[in-house]
Structures are given as structure tokens and as C-alpha cells.
Amino acid sequence: MDKDKRYRAKHPERCREIQKRYYESHREEISRKKREWYDKNKETIVRIRKPVERVQCELCRLTFVKTYIDKHIATRHTNPRHARSSDEQKNVCVAIEKKDEGS
Ligand SMILES: [Zn+2]
């Protein structure tokens, strides 16, 4: 392990703080470089990107990326703290019943 690696392993909080400060002071520059990189590689990215499969939530009729739907149900329909309205809170029970049926 070289000197820098040893220092980073020994002082993770200090390194995180330094990185955070660097990011905050160079934020515009970092963002600009990312945008430039994306613009330069946009055609390739669009060409190789797989089409995103979307599914509709049976409880609220909103559509989501397929991989996100379980997380959506868990946060929006099974945890009353995250429900935004009383209708959503009612859906919490429905979602829990459906989940039990599924397994
Ligand atoms: Zn939903």
C-alpha cells in the first residue's frame, strides 16, 4: 500500500471532508465537464442504452421503471409514514394484503 492509500485508510472522515469541500468549490467546473462528456458521447450512449421497461402501479395508477416498482410499493403503499394522502394510507392495507397473497 502506498503512502496516499495508507493515509486514506487511516483517515476516511478527513478525506471525505476534503473531497466534499473540493466538490463544493469546483461544482460548476465538474458539472460542465460532465455535460461536455455527455454531449460528446451522447450518440453512443443513446445507441447502446437498453429501452427502459415501464409498469403501472395497480394502487395509484402511476407508471414507474420496472426495477423501481417494488421500492415504490414499499415506500408509498406499505409504510403509512410515507403516504401522502388518506387515500394512499388506505392503499397501504391493500398493498400488504396483495403482497401476502403473492408470497
Ligand atoms: Zn403506487
Side-chain angles (χ1 to χ4, degrees):
M1 211 190 288
D2 68 24
K3 196 177 96 189
D4 293 338
K5 269 188 183 171
R6 271 202 309 274
Y7 181 84
R8 284 194 292 268
K10 204 173 175 186
H11 306 286
E13 304 86 23
R14 220 181 278 177
C15 292
R16 247 194 310 278
E17 189 57 42
I18 291 167
Q19 284 172 338
K20 194 177 154 201
R21 253 185 283 139
Y22 177 85
Y23 178 77
E24 282 165 0
S25 62
H26 293 78
R27 195 180 175 145
E28 285 301 312
E29 186 189 341
I30 292 167
S31 297
R32 183 179 48 77
K33 279 184 181 167
K34 276 186 190 169
R35 275 195 301 275
E36 284 171 4
W37 181 87
Y38 180 77
D39 287 342
K40 199 175 135 195
N41 297 290
K42 195 175 177 179
E43 280 179 28
T44 315
I45 293 166
V46 169
R47 188 160 40 79
I48 64 175
R49 186 171 52 196
K50 290 176 190 159
V52 178
E53 196 177 338
R54 296 188 75 86
V55 289
Q56 192 178 44
C57 173
E58 290 175 24
L59 301 166
C60 65
R61 301 291 165 207
L62 295 174
T63 58
F64 298 95
V65 173
K66 196 181 178 190
T67 51
Y68 179 73
I69 194 79
D70 288 340
K71 171 102 169 117
H72 162 75
I73 289 171
T75 55
R76 212 36 96 190
H77 302 300
T78 57
N79 187 342
R81 269 189 319 128
H82 291 108
R84 281 173 298 192
S85 65
S86 57
D87 269 358
E88 281 191 354
Q89 281 170 355
K90 281 176 209 156
N91 283 340
V92 167
C93 301
V94 179
I96 292 168
E97 282 165 21
K98 282 195 180 211
K99 232 182 184 178
D100 291 344
E101 283 166 23
S103 61

Tab-separated table of all heavy atoms in Angstrom, residues 57-62 64 69 72-73 76-77 88 91, ligand 1:
chain	number	residue	atom	x	y	z
A	57	CYS	N	-48.383	1.003	-11.454
A	57	CYS	CA	-48.718	0.562	-10.103
A	57	CYS	C	-50.230	0.363	-10.045
A	57	CYS	O	-50.992	1.250	-10.425
A	57	CYS	CB	-48.276	1.611	-9.088
A	57	CYS	SG	-48.823	1.257	-7.426
A	58	GLU	N	-50.642	-0.821	-9.568
A	58	GLU	CA	-52.078	-1.116	-9.520
A	58	GLU	C	-52.807	-0.266	-8.492
A	58	GLU	O	-54.022	-0.119	-8.541
A	58	GLU	CB	-52.282	-2.596	-9.162
A	58	GLU	CG	-51.875	-3.539	-10.262
A	58	GLU	CD	-51.979	-4.994	-9.810
A	58	GLU	OE1	-52.758	-5.273	-8.884
A	58	GLU	OE2	-51.273	-5.820	-10.394
A	59	LEU	N	-52.074	0.275	-7.552
A	59	LEU	CA	-52.702	1.004	-6.452
A	59	LEU	C	-52.903	2.487	-6.729
A	59	LEU	O	-53.879	3.073	-6.291
A	59	LEU	CB	-51.876	0.817	-5.180
A	59	LEU	CG	-51.722	-0.647	-4.751
A	59	LEU	CD1	-50.633	-0.782	-3.711
A	59	LEU	CD2	-53.034	-1.188	-4.240
A	60	CYS	N	-51.991	3.100	-7.462
A	60	CYS	CA	-52.134	4.538	-7.677
A	60	CYS	C	-52.118	4.911	-9.161
A	60	CYS	O	-52.242	6.074	-9.499
A	60	CYS	CB	-51.050	5.302	-6.929
A	60	CYS	SG	-49.394	4.985	-7.520
A	61	ARG	N	-51.977	3.913	-10.036
A	61	ARG	CA	-52.022	4.121	-11.499
A	61	ARG	C	-50.868	4.954	-12.041
A	61	ARG	O	-50.913	5.403	-13.186
A	61	ARG	CB	-53.367	4.759	-11.938
A	61	ARG	CG	-54.583	3.943	-11.576
A	61	ARG	CD	-54.671	2.679	-12.378
A	61	ARG	NE	-55.635	1.756	-11.781
A	61	ARG	CZ	-55.582	0.439	-11.916
A	61	ARG	NH1	-54.628	-0.112	-12.628
A	61	ARG	NH2	-56.467	-0.318	-11.364
A	62	LEU	N	-49.842	5.188	-11.250
A	62	LEU	CA	-48.669	5.889	-11.774
A	62	LEU	C	-47.754	4.856	-12.417
A	62	LEU	O	-47.767	3.687	-12.031
A	62	LEU	CB	-47.930	6.605	-10.642
A	62	LEU	CG	-48.673	7.742	-9.957
A	62	LEU	CD1	-47.859	8.251	-8.769
A	62	LEU	CD2	-48.934	8.889	-10.923
A	64	PHE	N	-43.905	3.464	-13.467
A	64	PHE	CA	-42.522	3.521	-12.986
A	64	PHE	C	-41.652	2.587	-13.798
A	64	PHE	O	-42.138	1.659	-14.444
A	64	PHE	CB	-42.461	3.096	-11.520
A	64	PHE	CG	-43.232	3.990	-10.609
A	64	PHE	CD1	-44.527	3.671	-10.252
A	64	PHE	CD2	-42.678	5.156	-10.124
A	64	PHE	CE1	-45.264	4.504	-9.429
A	64	PHE	CE2	-43.399	5.993	-9.302
A	64	PHE	CZ	-44.693	5.660	-8.956
A	69	ILE	N	-40.534	-0.511	-9.104
A	69	ILE	CA	-41.905	-0.673	-8.628
A	69	ILE	C	-41.979	-1.268	-7.213
A	69	ILE	O	-42.788	-0.827	-6.397
A	69	ILE	CB	-42.766	-1.475	-9.653
A	69	ILE	CG1	-44.262	-1.332	-9.319
A	69	ILE	CG2	-42.347	-2.936	-9.725
A	69	ILE	CD1	-44.860	-0.037	-9.764
A	72	HIS	N	-41.203	1.407	-4.822
A	72	HIS	CA	-42.326	2.337	-4.779
A	72	HIS	C	-43.423	1.810	-3.866
A	72	HIS	O	-43.923	2.527	-2.999
A	72	HIS	CB	-42.876	2.561	-6.198
A	72	HIS	CG	-44.255	3.150	-6.197
A	72	HIS	ND1	-44.499	4.474	-5.912
A	72	HIS	CD2	-45.465	2.578	-6.404
A	72	HIS	CE1	-45.810	4.692	-5.959
A	72	HIS	NE2	-46.418	3.561	-6.258
A	73	ILE	N	-43.798	0.558	-4.027
A	73	ILE	CA	-44.855	-0.031	-3.198
A	73	ILE	C	-44.420	-0.045	-1.736
A	73	ILE	O	-45.192	0.297	-0.840
A	73	ILE	CB	-45.229	-1.447	-3.708
A	73	ILE	CG1	-45.972	-1.302	-5.042
A	73	ILE	CG2	-46.108	-2.184	-2.698
A	73	ILE	CD1	-46.222	-2.608	-5.764
A	76	ARG	N	-44.361	3.835	-0.697
A	76	ARG	CA	-45.582	4.611	-0.873
A	76	ARG	C	-46.822	3.903	-0.335
A	76	ARG	O	-47.753	4.537	0.100
A	76	ARG	CB	-45.736	4.901	-2.363
A	76	ARG	CG	-46.394	6.191	-2.781
A	76	ARG	CD	-46.116	7.361	-1.919
A	76	ARG	NE	-45.042	8.174	-2.403
A	76	ARG	CZ	-44.508	9.166	-1.687
A	76	ARG	NH1	-44.950	9.463	-0.501
A	76	ARG	NH2	-43.523	9.867	-2.192
A	77	HIS	N	-46.837	2.585	-0.378
A	77	HIS	CA	-48.074	1.883	-0.033
A	77	HIS	C	-47.958	0.920	1.136
A	77	HIS	O	-48.944	0.319	1.524
A	77	HIS	CB	-48.588	1.104	-1.253
A	77	HIS	CG	-48.828	1.980	-2.447
A	77	HIS	ND1	-49.708	3.034	-2.446
A	77	HIS	CD2	-48.295	1.946	-3.689
A	77	HIS	CE1	-49.702	3.615	-3.637
A	77	HIS	NE2	-48.842	2.984	-4.408
A	88	GLU	N	-53.974	7.145	-0.019
A	88	GLU	CA	-52.760	6.331	-0.066
A	88	GLU	C	-52.626	5.482	1.179
A	88	GLU	O	-52.172	4.352	1.120
A	88	GLU	CB	-51.520	7.220	-0.238
A	88	GLU	CG	-51.325	7.679	-1.660
A	88	GLU	CD	-49.964	8.338	-1.874
A	88	GLU	OE1	-49.227	8.532	-0.903
A	88	GLU	OE2	-49.666	8.657	-3.027
A	91	ASN	N	-54.609	2.497	0.762
A	91	ASN	CA	-53.918	1.587	-0.155
A	91	ASN	C	-52.853	0.758	0.546
A	91	ASN	O	-52.493	-0.315	0.096
A	91	ASN	CB	-53.279	2.372	-1.304
A	91	ASN	CG	-54.301	2.797	-2.336
A	91	ASN	OD1	-55.390	2.225	-2.404
A	91	ASN	ND2	-53.971	3.802	-3.109
B	1	ZN	ZN	-48.423	3.263	-6.392
